[in-house]
Amino acid sequence: MNLEALRASDAAHHLHPFSDNKALGEKGTRILTRGEGVYVWDQDGNRLLDAFAGLWCVNIGYGRRELGEAARRQMDELAYYNSFFGCTTEPAVKLSAKLAELAPGDLDTVFFTNSGSEANDTILRLVRHFWAVQGRPEKFHFIGRHNGYHGSTVAGASLGGMAGMHKQGGLPIPGIHHINQPYWFGEGGEMSPEEFGLARARELEAKILELGPERVAAFIAEPLQGAAGVFIPPSTYWPEINRICRQYDVLLVADEVICGFGRTGQWFGSQTFGIEPDLMPIAKGLTSGYIPLGGVLMNQRVAGVLREQGGELAHGYTYSGHPVCCAVALENLRILQEERIVERCREDTGPYLAQRWTQLAEHPLVGEARICGMVGALELVPNKPSRTFFEDRGRVGGLCRDIALSNGLILRATWDAMLLSPPLVISRGEIDELIEKTWRTLDQTAAALRQG
Ligand SMILES: *Cc1c(COP(=O)(O)O)cnc(C)c1O
């Protein structure tokens, strides 16, 4: 099939996620054809530096044949079996133990799902069940954050705080509440980041007291907010959240779907920010995106109650613990560990990227350049140094993203923030290329704005 035929067929038969499908059909989709390391190639043979790792997920980079070989071996041996009715498979057993070893604290039990969204749906049910079997069914309410992202299923999107998502499909479902986010650049006003972090954390306490601590089951948040625009919380935020959750016996859920598996320079974002979670949804980097797999990691308190008092668990997916997905995840984790990829990010390439990325703040269009490990953002602003936004939010970000693409660079835009999340294997030389292309993109964006 030629390119035009592929595009026409796509427009006729494929409804794309998070896309304006009418506009997309008219413009034509980009078709990606190949990947190697930090690069992908498109239909016209253009080589693109993927500074977004697919969707925050291709941690080990593209083209690692070992993962395909692991899948192939497992498919030949036993392509599928479930983990219902007293059964399991060796890859699911081994991956559970590996995750228990890697996870912080006493989070040593996992429930497998196919995605991050399903992990959060699972958490809603497991947590309510956890309280109910202890005779506290009224401890039912969840608190999330405005602009949090926890996936696209009914519970995931309800726990999340994306207004545009809530508008479609009658969300959020009952029993879910939202507090404000610790987004200092956009909402901190005259406060210092530290004062602001505390103030936003204390909104959790106020909300718990408003609902009644005996009715609040859990608080859920991303260690740093990804999809919202890579909002890195002030240092005061998480210690206060830990304290509040402990004081009121509210379970703490750290959504590690982006941060997990090295993104922030530690294995988990909870370690980077000193979070003490009871449960952690995981997905994305767990398989570096080579195959779908997610899960919920939980600590001994939660797992203990579910095991000892939970009775028969009335929850599960046909593909929970799928042996092929688990075999691929094990191979991905082996590579991350044996090649010391997380350590390299923490000690070498991460600090180098941070040093180069923060220099971009000198550009007249950049109001802030923030970064944590291998995830960051640039805030594009009309009037430096004031922290104000463009009037028609999103236009400049979209323009900058398109110019980046014409320079062979994939960055994501959320409103007018340019988001960075490259494969963790990016080298110093590739970081230089990324920064050089970003500078050029910013210059060209500024020039395009001057021309109006
Ligand atoms: C991507 C994401 C999810 C949803 O994961 P899916 O695999 O897309 O369902 C949940 N939480 C966070 C923080 C995410 O970034």
Side-chain angles (χ1 to χ4, degrees), residues 115-117 120 149-151 222 255 257-258 284:
S115 68
S117 300
N120 284 316
Y149 187 77
H150 301 297
E222 303 153 81
D255 185 336
V257 172
I258 288 175
K284 296 194 170 110

Side-chain angles (χ1 to χ4, degrees), residues 19-226:
S19 303
D20 176 339
N21 279 273
K22 182 162 183 281
L24 184 63
E26 286 157 9
K27 193 172 163 214
T29 38
R30 264 185 305 132
I31 301 172
L32 284 301
T33 55
R34 194 162 81 77
E36 191 69 42
V38 300
Y39 298 101
V40 291
W41 280 259
D42 71 8
Q43 72 272 331
D44 303 317
N46 295 313
R47 190 184 79 154
L48 307 167
L49 199 171
D50 183 8
F52 206 65
L55 272 177
W56 329 82
C57 57
V58 188
N59 288 10
I60 62 166
Y62 295 92
R64 292 297 300 249
R65 308 187 67 82
E66 300 95 316
L67 272 63
E69 283 154 14
R72 176 60 194 257
R73 272 197 307 276
Q74 185 58 41
M75 281 192 188
D76 287 349
E77 191 70 26
L78 177 66
Y80 172 74
Y81 208 77
N82 61 67
S83 46
F84 292 20
F85 319 135
C87 300
T88 191
T89 60
E90 196 171 321
V93 172
K94 285 189 172 158
L95 182 58
S96 309
K98 173 55 81 180
L99 289 169
E101 171 201 318
L102 290 172
D106 70 343
L107 281 83
D108 66 358
T109 297
V110 64
F111 183 94
F112 287 115
T113 67
N114 302 290
S115 68
S117 300
E118 286 181 0
N120 284 316
D121 273 54
T122 296
I123 282 174
L124 185 94
R125 298 195 60 208
L126 292 190
V127 164
R128 286 177 175 173
H129 186 54
F130 166 88
W131 290 116
V133 297
Q134 296 177 91
R136 305 186 66 182
E138 75 290 350
K139 216 162 156 65
F140 176 85
H141 291 259
F142 273 71
I143 301 172
R145 303 187 298 192
H146 295 301
N147 277 325
Y149 187 77
H150 301 297
S152 250
T153 47
V154 169
S158 295
L159 292 166
M162 297 291 181
M165 293 177 74
H166 289 173
K167 265 190 224 146
Q168 298 179 359
L171 303 180
I173 55 173
I176 296 178
H177 312 265
H178 299 89
I179 59 171
N180 286 311
Q181 55 195 351
Y183 174 33
W184 178 79
F185 183 86
E187 301 174 358
E190 297 301 307
M191 279 189 236
S192 71
E194 290 72 26
E195 290 166 343
F196 179 70
L198 268 187
R200 285 287 155 102
R202 286 184 183 148
E203 287 197 18
L204 176 61
E205 187 160 36
K207 182 61 83 177
I208 291 171
L209 292 172
E210 175 197 323
L211 295 165
E214 69 290 350
R215 297 172 66 227
V216 180
F219 172 63
I220 181 168
E222 303 153 81
L224 60 78
Q225 275 159 277

Side-chain angles (χ1 to χ4, degrees), residues 363-426:
H363 196 280
L365 206 53
V366 176
E368 183 178 74
R370 51 179 179 261
I371 188 157
C372 175
M374 287 276 166
V375 55
L378 301 176
E379 293 272 3
L380 307 187
V381 294
N383 307 308
K384 266 178 96 167
S386 78
R387 304 200 316 266
T388 50
F389 298 121
F390 289 99
E391 264 170 32
D392 46 349
R393 281 187 79 185
R395 185 179 67 89
V396 177
L399 176 70
C400 184
R401 180 198 53 217
D402 292 345
I403 292 173
L405 209 52
S406 72
N407 287 322
L409 174 66
I410 300 176
L411 290 171
R412 172 168 166 181
T414 294
W415 301 109
D416 299 315
M418 307 310 298
L419 311 190
L420 171 78
S421 172
L424 303 185
V425 294
I426 192 168

